Amino acid sequence: VHGVYLAWRGNVHRPCVDEATLALERQLEGIFGGKITSAAQQRRAVQPWWLWEQISYWGRKQAAEHQVSGVPMARTIFSCANVARDVRANPVLENKVVVIGHSFGALMLERCLGLASVGLLSTELVWQPKNKLKTEEQAPKAAVRTAMPFDAILFVNSAAPSLHARLLNGFLQMYRSGLERQGVKHPETPVIVSVTSTGDKATGQMHPLGNSLANRSRSLQRIYRTLGNRPAPAPVPEVEQSYYYERTPGHNPLLVNHWIVPVAATAEELDAEAVLNRNLDYNTTDDLAFLTTKGVGSGPAQGWHITDQVPAWDEAWQKVKGQKPKLDESAYWIMRCPPELIKDHGDVWSDAAMQMYAAIYRLVEKRRME
């Protein structure tokens, strides 16, 4: 597995390197033949910079949303993906490209990849009505979904204002409908999957608090009169545009359209590697089901299932102004998972989380190939 980690100056101060990190660095010095961090670019004390780091949230969010998420970032990601997918460089291997963004990283991916992908995905659709074409030979062939150089795009605990997700979701709803009209198999295959833990308090509680004054902004005064993108058959409560800006996609009941729910555990004795391989098995009869390991070592694996039905534990949360929104049938899957899969905002590389990512990748790739 080859990974490319793109970073940006998210902290306005030099980072604090604690004793645990220093101990790890000493272990790695022998592998890399020297120090891997610069003493001149770090600080050894948390205070007094901690408070200023918290206050810098708004400035760093502004940078991620409007400054860093531009052409250079999109160009870098598309360039790396296209080089990896170039079979001429290595015709023996069929490389796969998965793009993952966490927190503000998901915000930046949504901003730069979302805008860059609109043109690419639009080229896959047939825009000319068949009865307007002069001959049958001129009719475009059905979309094959090859324009994007990514096999899967995954956002984890996205810290993006869900207003951006609403706009992109509207386009991907149209994209899904276009594939369906062209007879493409599995038009519901997600282009983007955004998964958020219900235990993520940073995006679930602190993000709304930090953006609670969004309704004062003159640029967020639009009123939406649909609970979702699809028109409702009857009048519905008005929803302010700031409502979307205050909430992240995984904590906005107007946008969440999938959930990950537990099912019966398997009686087999499986270790982490066996579970990972099982989640990557393309011969599965249910690509919405997957497993995760329980604890350390081998044992019965926990079963999970991706569903578009609201589970009992989210029934009350999913109502807005007393009404249940109309879930969008979109190629943008915005889902919630319990803390057993992702404990909190930063717990994104646990065994259970990575086993879930593998299952999501299999779901996307399997449906695209069929």
Side-chain angles (χ1 to χ4, degrees), residues 63-97:
E65 190 173 6
H66 300 294
Q67 298 175 11
V68 186
S69 307
V71 172
M73 178 72 73
R75 176 188 174 185
T76 302
I77 296 172
F78 273 93
S79 296
C80 292
N82 279 296
V83 169
R85 290 288 295 272
D86 189 358
V87 296
R88 294 170 298 178
N90 192 337
V92 178
L93 298 177
E94 185 181 357
N95 296 328
K96 304 296 182 182
V97 177

Side-chain angles (χ1 to χ4, degrees), residues 12-25:
V12 295
H13 302 287
R14 294 176 179 175
C16 177
V17 182
D18 55 21
E19 287 299 322
T21 305
L22 290 175
L24 176 62
E25 179 183 353

Side-chain angles (χ1 to χ4, degrees), residues 237-240 319-323:
E238 296 180 344
V239 179
E240 300 79 9
K319 290 185 178 180
V320 178
K321 297 185 177 181
Q323 293 194 25

Side-chain angles (χ1 to χ4, degrees), residues 305-360:
H305 195 266
I306 301 173
T307 177
D308 58 1
Q309 301 300 310
V310 185
W313 43 268
D314 247 2
E315 280 282 358
W317 171 85
Q318 226 247 336
K319 290 185 178 180
V320 178
K321 297 185 177 181
Q323 293 194 25
K324 183 178 178 180
K326 296 174 69 65
L327 300 181
D328 297 322
E329 297 176 354
S330 169
Y332 192 164
W333 287 21
I334 302 174
M335 61 179 67
R336 283 160 65 87
C337 72
E340 289 82 0
L341 290 171
I342 302 178
K343 181 175 62 176
D344 50 33
H345 184 67
D347 179 45
V348 296
W349 295 121
S350 65
D351 286 345
M354 290 190 288
Q355 289 157 359
M356 175 182 64
Y357 304 154
I360 292 174

Side-chain angles (χ1 to χ4, degrees), residues 16 24 40-41 47 54 73 76 80-81 93 105 123 152 170 204 211 215 220 226 232 249 253 320 338 367:
C16 177
L24 176 62
Q41 299 298 326
Q47 302 294 352
Q54 311 313 309
M73 178 72 73
T76 302
C80 292
L93 298 177
T123 61
N211 295 276
N215 60 347
L220 296 173
T226 59
V320 178
R367 294 195 177 192

Side-chain angles (χ1 to χ4, degrees), residues 4 10 50 58 88 105 191 198 203 208 221 228 255 294:
V4 177
W50 179 86
W58 292 276
R88 294 170 298 178
V191 174
T198 57
T203 59
Q221 296 298 313
L255 291 176
K294 288 184 175 181

Side-chain angles (χ1 to χ4, degrees), residues 122 154 291 307-308 362:
S122 297
L154 179 62
L291 301 172
T307 177
D308 58 1
R362 179 196 61 187

